[in-house]
């Protein structure tokens, strides 16, 4: 019997991952959890919910025990921009929370999914076609916690046989729940502002090229990795994956195909620009392709078309 616990389930990824896991395994088999109550807009996720602070070992163990959990999808984390503002809080959640989840998984024999990030790389990493195995010396607290998380995951797999798997997500673009304070949030905000006001002020420089992915691909990647034959996984944890690669100026051009009078301006936020400048421009995801058959379905054009069409049914242009 599969019984899944999702931490941080009210967030940008969790809001859509919970629904996908429930479609696959059944509503009752997936326990959503978060420190806050999910927004009404994600009530399509109706099903079991536990209020859970994943830095609290007693709470995590209690939920895992009561629901006979077999796999934990651990999404609760402080994201990159917020982590630079509150590095102590980021360490506490991203490391203590992960450690609590891994220890619980070891004791109760659960598999673990852990999302890492392109933020696990740093300025000394090769920035173009960043290899799966490359120098990782991030200069942000977010990156430090992600590298540590990747290493802890590998350690628990090797030392204790815990089935820990993970992905290095690029910036994720979606329209269900808002992003939680990352450096790539502009690529979501821009659609809301373009449809409502035909104008967006971007906090990154116009030529800041980063890897990105549309949420349907990201959710499918999680499901496919967790279902993959473990014998074929040489890396298991922290796979590079990507779907598309663009700058704010290129995204604005793609949006102008649908909203011709859309205007973008730039007011660069030095803190978030510095984070983006320390990250790869484009990662090489061939290990994921070879080991578990990864392949993205949405490129910039397909993602933009779907985002504009979906949000246009929900948002009214301002007069
Ligand atoms: N969204 C992206 O673009 C992106 C990219 C790369 C990696 N990731 C990683 O994916 C994971 C999920 O990201 P997301 O975008 O859904 O984040 P998010 O910020 O949208 O959601 C995180 C959730 O964690 C919850 N939370 C905070 N403190 C908690 C605690 N102590 N206990 C339990 N829950 C708590 C928050 O309430 C929130 O709902 C994170 O590990 C993030 O680093 C995300």
């Amino acid at each position: 019997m599969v019984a899944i616990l999702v931490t941080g389930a009210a967030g940008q990824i969790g809001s859509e991952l919970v629904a996908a896991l429930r479609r696959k395994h059944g509503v009752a088999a997936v326990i959503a959890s978060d420190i806050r109550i999910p927004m009404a807009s994600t009530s399509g996720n109706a099903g079991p919910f536990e209020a859970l602070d994943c830095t609290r070992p007693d709470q995590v163990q209690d939920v895992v025990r009561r629901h006979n959990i077999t796999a934990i999808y651990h999404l609760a984390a402080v994201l990159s921009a917020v982590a630079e503002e509150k590095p102590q809080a980021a360490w506490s959640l991203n490391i203590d929370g992960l450690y609590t989840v891994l220890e619980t998984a070891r004791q109760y024999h659960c598999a673990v999914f852990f999302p890492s990030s392109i933020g696990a790389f740093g300025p000394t990493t090769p920035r173009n076609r960043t290899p799966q195995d490359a120098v990782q010396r991030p200069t942000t607290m977010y990156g430090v916690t992600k590298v540590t998380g990747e290493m802890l995951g590998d350690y628990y797999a090797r030392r204790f046989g815990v089935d820990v798997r993970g992905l290095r997500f690029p910036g994720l673009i979606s329209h269900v729940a808002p992003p939680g304070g990352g450096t790539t949030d502009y690529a979501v905000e821009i659609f809301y502002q373009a449809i409502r006001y035909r104008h967006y002020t971007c906090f990154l420089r116009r030529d800041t090229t980063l890897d990105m992915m549309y949420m349907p691909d990201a959710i499918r990647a999680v499901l496919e990795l967790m279902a993959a034959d473990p014998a074929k996984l040489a890396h298991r944890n922290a796979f590079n994956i990507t779907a598309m690669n663009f700058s704010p100026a290129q995204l604005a051009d793609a949006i102008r195909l649908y909203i011709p009078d859309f205007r973008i301006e730039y007011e660069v936020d030095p803190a978030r620009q510095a984070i983006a400048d320390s990250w790869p421009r484009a990662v090489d995801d061939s290990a994921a392709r070879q080991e578990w058959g990864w392949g993205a379905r949405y490129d910039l054009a397909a993602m933009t078309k779907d985002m504009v069409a979906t949000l246009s049914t929900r948002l009214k242009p301002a007069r």
Side-chain angles (χ1 to χ4, degrees):
M1 281 282 287
V2 174
I4 292 170
L5 172 65
V6 180
T7 72
Q12 189 191 7
I13 300 178
S15 300
E16 300 193 48
L17 182 62
V18 167
L21 288 168
R22 285 186 174 151
R23 279 194 295 276
K24 181 169 180 182
H25 298 287
V27 170
V30 181
I31 316 298
S33 74
D34 204 288
I35 203 165
R36 63 184 166 118
I37 307 294
M39 286 192 328
S41 65
T42 57
S43 58
N45 281 334
F49 176 82
E50 295 274 357
L52 177 64
D53 176 350
C54 51
T55 62
R56 293 277 306 272
D58 54 334
Q59 292 186 11
V60 177
Q61 287 179 13
D62 174 58
V63 170
V64 165
R65 205 180 308 119
R66 272 193 290 115
H67 294 281
N68 294 315
I69 295 298
T70 57
I72 306 174
Y73 290 63
H74 178 49
L75 305 181
V78 176
L79 270 66
S80 57
V82 180
E84 277 318 283
E85 283 165 23
K86 303 176 187 167
Q88 296 82 0
W91 178 268
S92 165
L93 177 56
N94 296 11
I95 298 301
D96 297 345
L98 175 63
Y99 179 74
T100 298
V101 163
L102 289 171
E103 264 300 292
T104 306
R106 177 182 72 77
Q107 290 166 38
Y108 293 90
H109 309 289
C110 308
V112 174
F113 172 76
F114 166 68
S116 185
S117 160
I118 53 171
F121 296 114
T124 51
T125 304
R127 294 194 73 201
N128 294 309
R129 287 197 58 76
T130 304
Q132 174 65 40
D133 300 306
V135 174
Q136 288 180 268
R137 303 285 293 175
T139 46
T140 63
M141 179 53 95
Y142 183 67
V144 169
T145 65
K146 288 301 184 190
V147 178
T148 310
E150 292 180 5
M151 291 167 69
L152 266 182
D154 283 343
Y155 182 81
Y156 270 72
R158 197 172 47 244
R159 176 76 169 78
F160 302 119
V162 179
D163 186 1
V164 186
R165 304 184 189 189
L167 300 166
R168 290 184 187 128
F169 281 130
L172 299 180
I173 299 158
S174 68
H175 52 71
V176 175
T183 303
T184 53
D185 290 8
Y186 90 84
V188 178
E189 291 167 5
I190 193 172
F191 285 99
Y192 285 78
Q193 299 294 313
I195 291 167
R196 280 197 188 120
Y197 306 111
R198 289 166 159 58
H199 177 263
Y200 179 62
T201 305
C202 185
F203 58 77
L204 292 184
R205 236 181 17 243
R206 54 179 293 119
D207 61 347
T208 310
T209 302
L210 292 168
D211 277 310
M212 301 276 181
M213 184 176 292
Y214 197 30
M215 193 61 87
D217 273 336
I219 300 297
R220 191 169 49 78
V222 177
L223 300 186
E224 288 179 4
L225 173 63
M226 293 305 276
D229 176 358
K232 294 194 174 142
L233 299 182
H235 287 88
R236 300 188 77 94
N237 180 20
F239 281 99
N240 283 3
I241 54 166
T242 185
M244 62 190 91
N245 192 259
F246 58 75
S247 66
Q250 288 168 320
L251 179 55
D253 285 344
I255 291 173
R256 263 186 224 105
L257 278 181
Y258 303 95
I259 307 172
D261 55 349
F262 172 59
R263 287 185 307 116
I264 185 165
E265 285 175 301
Y266 299 91
E267 266 177 33
V268 173
D269 167 14
R272 283 180 285 188
Q273 186 66 52
I275 297 174
D277 287 343
S278 77
W279 289 357
R281 272 188 283 265
V283 301
D284 174 1
D285 61 3
S286 51
R289 291 171 183 279
Q290 281 156 19
E291 292 179 36
W292 49 279
W294 160 246
R297 292 185 187 153
Y298 286 87
D299 61 9
L300 173 58
M303 176 277 292
T304 304
K305 184 176 179 193
D306 202 61
M307 280 293 283
V308 172
T310 307
L311 286 176
S312 296
T313 64
R314 293 210 318 252
L315 302 175
K316 292 225 180 328
R319 292 256 152 228

